[in-house]
């Protein structure tokens, strides 16, 4: 069940006044005054970051009124979507609703946030109403920057899918692979840093390799990459050589892998060495923070959101916290686990700030599993702390290159456990 | 089943150490663990359930991971980022959460 709680401009201004008085109360060391007001937190974005934050905000302070704004009724996760492309997981298995969140103590509003008014402390919704907030948390994920790849566009993505936001694009890429004749060439255009899910393109290439080897063994999967190095590189390259020799191939920036232009009509890409034709072409374009972050004025000139590393509060607009792929999180990658960890630390910081208390010392973590075949998994993990210069890694690393098959199988099992734990932590 | 109760000596040392200034609390660190060691029934098969875990055993296991005396996957890497005080505080935290 979903309850709407929106308010008009007049009410929102009245709230602003009340908020001002409450803030005065906290400076006079009377936090109970502020708490009695039933302070409002709005969370925009119902992915791993936003949904987790909404749940923990209420857990940490049950007096808070927490509203989650998410346009879509269902969330299809990017984690595990590469397995849907390869046909080993069905899309229903990675689709999550908001019923449990809405049945709990979080108000879920399925509307699009189309603007933020930081002075009035209000989020504008597409339906014409506004939501007032005492603190706002943005977890908007990414926007695809189609113009960043010449020849590519939203229309071109119907021919050359990006599949970098899970859903229809994921299924389109899967259908294209299924329709391709044996002996075909699959091309992936990998992005330059930074981008969502640093190991994602390479996991995808491995899983497509798995599909091809199982179904169309005369085919090829070629990754064209502007970079010379990437996440878990040695592990991925070893797995391609071991599992998919002659099928999966990586062409790095030093070997002419940087793609200058794509042509969806001719189904070609132009790279340093010339033109290459593909039967299926997966273009992962450059990215930037999700649109609402741009609208709220919390992005920098490169399109990402600078934040205070302890509280995740925007460096550009006070009262707005930004987590997940959209924010600049120092050593942390743009991953689901990173967003989950940032969500919990941001929630604790917001609760403290609303009570006029100091921000607690955060502890961040990341874990990303990659599978390149069923039963063949490896991981990267890290724990991180806040420093004045940004978020720094304290410890971490990747799976050993020479791990046993048993260990790879164990990590594949852990990946599924991780997926289930993450989903439960976010959507209940 | 609950394991052996925490020895008084260990408890006293935790109270004495406490979280140092600018150290995250056990609860803050533990929230990161929930992702894999889910508090709710999340249908997990391989990852152990650690709610109500005997605290002495948890200190021992995490220390073995930290010092590479036990084979592990990600826990060997994660435990190296935990101080001895944090390991002890986490053990107490999880032992008191029998979900």
């Amino acid at each position: 069940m979903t309850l709407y709680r929106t308010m008009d401009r007049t009410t929102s201004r009245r709230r602003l006044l009340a908020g001002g008085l409450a803030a005065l109360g906290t400076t006079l060391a009377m936090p109970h005054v502020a708490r009695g007001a039933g302070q409002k937190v709005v969370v925009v974005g119902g992915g791993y970051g936003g949904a987790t934050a909404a749940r923990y905000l209420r857990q940490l302070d049950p007096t808070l009124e927490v509203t989650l704004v998410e346009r879509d009724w269902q969330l299809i996760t990017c984690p595990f979507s590469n397995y849907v492309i390869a046909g080993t997981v069905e899309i229903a298995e990675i689709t999550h609703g908001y019923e449990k969140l809405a049945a709990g103590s979080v108000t879920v509003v399925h509307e699009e946030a189309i603007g933020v008014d930081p002075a009035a402390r209000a989020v504008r919704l597409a339906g014409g109403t506004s939501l007032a907030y005492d603190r706002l948390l943005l977890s908007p994920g990414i926007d695809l920057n189609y113009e960043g790849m010449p020849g590519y566009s939203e229309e071109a993505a119907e021919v050359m899918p990006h599949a970098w936001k899970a859903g229809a694009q994921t299924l389109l890429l899967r259908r294209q692979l299924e329709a391709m004749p044996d002996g075909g060439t699959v091309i992936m255009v990998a992005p330059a840093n930074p981008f969502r899910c640093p190991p994602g393109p390479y996991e995808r290439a491995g899983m497509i390799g798995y599909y091809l080897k199982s179904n169309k063994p005369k085919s090829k999967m070629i990754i064209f990459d502007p970079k010379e190095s990437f996440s878990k590189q040695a592990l991925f390259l070893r797995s391609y050589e071991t599992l998919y020799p002659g099928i999966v191939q990586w062409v790095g920036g030093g070997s002419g892998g940087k793609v200058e232009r794509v042509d969806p009509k001719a189904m070609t890409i132009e790279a340093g060495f010339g033109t290459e034709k593909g039967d299926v072409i997966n273009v992962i374009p450059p990215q930037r923070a999700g649109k609402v972050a741009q609208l709220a004025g919390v992005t920098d000139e490169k399109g990402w959101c600078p934040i205070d590393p302890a509280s995740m509060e925007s460096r550009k607009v006070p009262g707005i916290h930004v987590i997940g792929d959209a924010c600049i999180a120092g050593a942390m990658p743009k991953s689901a686990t990173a967003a989950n960890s940032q969500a919990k630390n941001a929630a604790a910081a917001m609760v403290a700030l609303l009570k006029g208390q100091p921000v607690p010392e955060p502890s961040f973590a990341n874990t990303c599993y990659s599978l390149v075949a069923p039963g063949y998994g490896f991981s990267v993990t890290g724990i991180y702390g806040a420093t004045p210069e940004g978020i720094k890694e304290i410890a971490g690393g990747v799976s050993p290159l020479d791990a046993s098959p048993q260990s790879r199988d164990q990590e594949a099992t852990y990946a599924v456990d991780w997926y289930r734990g993450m989903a439960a932590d976010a959507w209940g | 089943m609950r394991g052996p109760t925490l020895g008084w000596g260990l408890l006293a040392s935790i109270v004495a150490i406490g979280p140092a200034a600018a150290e995250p609390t056990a609860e803050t660190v533990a929230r990161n663990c929930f992702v894999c060691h889910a508090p709710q029934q999340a249908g997990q098969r391989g990852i152990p359930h650690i709610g109500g875990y005997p605290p002495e055993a948890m200190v021992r296991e995490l220390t073995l991971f930290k010092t590479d005396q036990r084979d592990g996957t990600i826990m060997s890497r994660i435990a190296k980022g935990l101080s001895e005080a944090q390991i002890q505080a986490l053990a107490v935290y999880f032992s008191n959460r029998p979900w």
Side-chain angles (χ1 to χ4, degrees):
Chain A
M1 188 180 75
T2 302
L3 298 171
Y4 285 78
R5 185 169 54 225
T6 57
M7 52 177 57
D8 62 29
R9 279 317 183 109
T10 323
T11 328
S12 130
R13 291 222 175 81
R14 211 177 292 141
R15 270 265 353 119
L16 177 67
L17 274 178
L21 288 174
L24 184 66
T26 59
T27 59
L28 296 175
M30 294 190 294
H32 59 281
V33 174
R35 298 199 67 195
Q39 290 171 297
K40 291 180 166 55
V41 173
V42 174
V43 176
V44 177
Y48 283 103
T52 304
R55 289 186 66 244
Y56 278 80
L57 280 160
R58 279 288 308 192
Q59 270 181 32
L60 292 168
D61 184 353
T63 70
L64 282 182
E65 292 181 28
V66 179
T67 305
L68 177 67
V69 179
E70 164 57 48
R71 182 193 58 194
D72 297 332
W73 289 84
Q74 289 187 319
L75 188 285
I76 301 170
T77 63
C78 283
F80 280 36
S81 66
N82 285 333
Y83 316 147
V84 175
I85 291 167
T88 62
V89 165
E90 293 308 315
I91 202 149
E93 298 176 89
I94 61 164
T95 303
H96 304 271
Y98 294 91
E99 298 81 9
K100 286 183 190 162
L101 264 180
S105 44
V106 173
T107 303
V108 182
V109 174
H110 288 294
E111 277 201 65
E112 188 167 359
I114 55 162
V116 176
D117 186 346
R121 299 213 161 204
V123 176
R124 288 195 301 278
L125 302 179
T129 54
S130 289
L131 286 169
Y133 65 81
D134 294 298
R135 283 196 173 265
L136 171 64
L137 185 135
L138 299 180
S139 186
I142 54 156
D143 249 21
L144 299 170
N145 174 15
Y146 294 101
E147 308 83 58
M149 174 52 66
Y152 201 53
S153 63
E154 203 169 344
E155 297 72 48
E158 295 303 314
V159 182
M160 296 176 161
H162 53 76
W164 216 240
K165 291 189 174 194
Q169 281 276 308
T170 309
L171 295 175
L172 176 61
L173 183 53
R174 174 171 168 168
R175 282 197 306 273
Q176 289 186 347
L177 289 170
E178 287 167 352
M180 186 182 82
D182 192 6
T185 300
V186 183
I187 288 175
M188 173 190 288
V189 180
N193 293 324
F195 60 94
R196 161 179 281 179
C197 190
Y202 313 98
E203 176 191 65
R204 176 176 293 177
M207 287 306 301
I208 290 177
Y210 171 76
Y211 171 79
L212 296 176
K213 187 179 178 183
S214 313
N215 299 282
K216 291 157 190 180
K218 289 181 226 151
S219 311
K220 276 192 170 52
M221 160 85 239
I222 312 171
I223 311 159
F224 289 97
D225 201 331
K227 304 183 292 297
E228 263 306 282
S229 61
F230 57 85
S231 174
K232 307 182 205 171
Q233 184 165 12
L235 287 158
F236 278 116
L237 295 181
R238 172 76 66 87
S239 75
Y240 301 161
E241 286 163 19
T242 313
L243 302 175
Y244 313 119
I247 296 180
V248 179
Q249 187 190 342
W250 174 73
V251 183
S255 313
K258 183 175 189 299
V259 172
E260 306 289 350
R261 159 176 290 279
V262 299
D263 185 339
K265 286 207 177 68
M267 282 299 280
T268 56
I269 58 134
E270 289 172 31
F273 55 83
T275 300
E276 186 86 17
K277 192 169 168 55
D279 296 281
V280 174
I281 302 182
N282 171 211
V283 179
I284 305 170
Q287 296 147 37
R288 58 194 167 209
K291 193 173 169 190
V292 74
Q294 325 270 344
L295 297 171
V298 294
T299 51
D300 68 6
E301 68 285 352
K302 289 181 177 160
W304 303 102
C305 306
I307 45 110
D308 172 75
S311 64
M312 311 298 293
E313 186 168 9
S314 167
R315 294 252 195 226
K316 309 207 83 166
V317 184
I320 303 181
H321 300 247
V322 189
I323 61 167
D325 294 349
C327 78
I328 302 170
M332 294 186 83
K334 298 188 184 302
S335 77
T337 321
N340 169 293
S341 181
Q342 290 159 11
K344 294 165 180 173
N345 284 291
M350 293 170 83
V351 166
L353 288 166
L354 286 167
K355 290 179 184 169
Q357 294 170 355
V359 171
E361 188 65 27
S363 169
F364 298 104
N366 176 58
T367 298
C368 294
Y369 288 99
S370 299
L371 269 65
V372 288
Y376 192 113
F378 43 76
S379 58
V380 60
T381 190
I383 59 175
Y384 307 82
T387 76
E389 296 81 45
I391 298 176
K392 294 274 169 69
E393 185 171 302
I394 296 167
V398 299
S399 306
L401 194 54
D402 55 358
S404 65
Q406 291 76 17
S407 176
R408 298 271 187 256
D409 187 47
Q410 194 175 31
E411 293 219 89
T413 304
Y414 289 166
V416 177
D417 283 357
W418 166 89
Y419 184 88
R420 291 179 174 153
M422 284 282 292
D425 218 18
W427 301 287
Chain B
M1 189 193 85
R2 298 297 299 266
T5 52
L6 191 63
W8 283 110
L10 180 56
L11 235 187
S13 72
I14 290 163
V15 173
I17 297 165
E23 276 247 326
T25 64
E27 189 174 7
T28 299
V29 177
R31 280 184 205 123
N32 291 317
C33 310
F34 297 164
V35 166
C36 296
H37 301 278
Q40 297 121 333
Q41 290 298 322
Q44 295 172 315
R45 291 180 193 168
I47 294 175
H49 193 70
I50 55 172
Y53 207 86
E56 283 143 350
M58 184 172 284
V59 169
R60 190 173 60 239
E61 305 264 335
L62 285 173
T63 306
L64 291 175
F65 278 130
K66 183 180 165 80
T67 53
D68 286 324
Q69 294 179 77
R70 199 198 134 154
D71 281 344
T73 57
I74 69 168
M75 282 314 299
S76 305
R77 292 167 251 154
I78 290 171
K80 289 181 182 59
L82 300 173
S83 66
E84 281 175 35
Q86 279 178 334
I87 286 175
Q88 296 202 341
L90 281 172
V92 173
Y93 177 88
F94 282 109
S95 70
N96 289 320
R97 268 149 194 83
W99 6 261

